[in-house]
Amino acid sequence: MIRAALLAAAAMLAVPASAATGQAATDYAPAPYVRFVNAEWTRDAVIYQINTRQFTREGTFSAAQAHLPRLAGMGVDILWLMPIHPIGEANRKGGLGSPYSVRDYRAVNPDLGTEADLRAFVDEAHRLGMKVILDWVANHSAWDNPLTASHPEWYAKTPEGAMMPPLGTDWSDVVAFDYSQPGLRRYMTESLVYWVREFGIDGYRADVAGFVPLDFWETARAEMEKVRPVFMLAEWEQRDLHQRAFDASYAWGWKNAMQRTAREGGAGAMRGYYAEQANTWPRAAYRMVYTDNHDQNAWDGVAAEIYGPAYPAAIALSFVGGGMPLIHNGQEADLDHQLAFFEKDEIAWKEGRHAGLLHKLIALKTEQRALWNGEHGAPMVEVPSSAPDQVYAFTRGAAGERVFAVFNLSGDPREIGFSQARHLGSYRDALTGEPAIFAAGTKLALPAWGFRIFAEDN
């Protein structure tokens, strides 16, 4: 609401200049960096990524639809479907190919189902209170996309005049577009609008968003907003994306800092990340934080090697620190290997050891306004502790509605004291419901890689 008011103020005519200074008072008013207002349903949202091919034995929208009540019960808000389009056959990688090699931007991959199946999936998700976004590959297409024949001028060329994969990549199964072409921009924008208008899609995750000119995304968002409010997630980490195009961007810096913390121990990396975020990024920008996604997933496999015993703390910090959390499909079922990208590799569903933690963290984020996304939540305020090199503690929210979190980011148990009164008050443990009172001198004992999250009584 603050940003909406600033936007309105920025649109007003300047007041008459001051006789003393010759300057209008509004010349010095802060202008909002982000120039659009997020859809209300994004403000406390948690994203859940679905690889439809691997999500069920059938690998279809219809089979995935059977999981929607379970996902709604978890409390997730936005379902991100990996690319749903037909996959190219020319220069295909593996037996099934990459879903990011798109042969037709206005069709559904028949391996996943029909258009009617997709509509039914979206309609049921909406009925259950969830939104659906599609993965969109704007930067490149399959070699055998009909556009390569009908509009070869829309593609980037080698010095010899041949179509080519994106520069600097090994993506041999795709060819890069040339966004200096107005016809390509119109086609791609109309394709984005098509799925929003005809299928009720609620937005997009933009693959390698930074490889595509920013003004294209800004124009495309404006056109989609004429149909309905959308949510846009950029697979990129750049502040300018947020001004007129994207609600959210990838927080690769968070992932890198958390992985460094898990390897080396200590609070410095995470403290540094959150300080950089507060100093250089607009609060209205949602930053997507995650431990697992389709490029890096599996608790017992890859994630165990990267995070080890720090994994539960990493999950918890992704929910209570600043950021918009992502859950990768199978994360709640202790996925025990990294999913194959070019072949069938079904997720084995079971009740995972972290499923309960995820349920509680999603509910906490929804209930506690201080934990909401971007400017809709509260800033993080560090609470200095007796072990600053190992412990990161902070509050979010005003007195009476605070969340107080303490993370021991080390492999040794700690008894922690606090040197400031920023957290004093009466709380309940947000994960167990037990009461907790913090007065001057109150200490907290945490095991190695342990954490506690408290919600203030009001």
Side-chain angles (χ1 to χ4, degrees), residues 222-257:
E223 291 301 308
M224 287 183 276
E225 291 277 351
K226 294 176 182 177
V227 180
R228 67 165 52 84
V230 293
F231 168 76
M232 295 293 289
L233 164 64
E235 189 201 18
W236 208 250
E237 193 164 24
Q238 183 176 326
R239 183 172 60 184
D240 291 354
L241 293 169
H242 291 276
Q243 191 165 46
R244 290 183 171 87
F246 289 95
D247 302 81
S249 59
Y250 270 51
W252 285 319
W254 188 94
K255 175 181 70 71
N256 293 337

Side-chain angles (χ1 to χ4, degrees), residues 238-383:
Q238 183 176 326
R239 183 172 60 184
D240 291 354
L241 293 169
H242 291 276
Q243 191 165 46
R244 290 183 171 87
F246 289 95
D247 302 81
S249 59
Y250 270 51
W252 285 319
W254 188 94
K255 175 181 70 71
N256 293 337
M258 192 66 240
Q259 291 180 357
R260 177 184 169 190
T261 298
R263 288 194 309 269
E264 303 173 7
M270 295 313 303
R271 181 179 291 112
Y273 167 80
Y274 286 119
E276 185 269 344
Q277 178 71 20
N279 285 328
T280 64
W281 288 76
R283 283 201 59 230
Y286 298 170
R287 308 304 317 289
M288 190 184 77
V289 293
Y290 63 93
T291 57
D292 305 63
N293 76 354
H294 67 278
D295 292 322
Q296 170 195 303
N297 58 80
W299 157 242
D300 287 324
V302 176
E305 297 170 9
I306 294 174
Y307 297 104
Y311 187 61
I315 293 173
L317 189 54
S318 74
F319 277 83
V320 297
M324 187 176 201
L326 168 73
I327 300 170
H328 178 256
N329 55 190
Q331 189 173 353
E332 72 273 37
D334 294 346
L335 184 66
D336 62 0
H337 64 284
Q338 183 159 333
L339 292 173
F341 208 72
F342 309 115
E343 310 291 347
K344 177 66 176 173
D345 189 6
E346 177 190 347
I347 297 171
W349 289 106
K350 63 180 180 180
E351 183 75 8
R353 74 196 78 173
H354 305 299
L357 175 63
L358 287 166
H359 277 76
K360 291 178 180 179
L361 290 170
I362 295 170
L364 178 67
K365 184 176 180 68
T366 302
E367 293 165 2
Q368 298 295 325
R369 191 181 184 92
L371 302 183
W372 286 10
N373 300 316
E375 66 179 352
H376 308 295
M380 299 170 68
V381 178
E382 185 167 3
V383 179

Side-chain angles (χ1 to χ4, degrees), residues 65-81:
Q65 184 174 329
H67 284 252
L68 292 181
R70 176 180 68 82
L71 296 177
M74 282 182 67
V76 299
D77 303 283
I78 299 174
L79 305 177
W80 153 21
L81 295 179

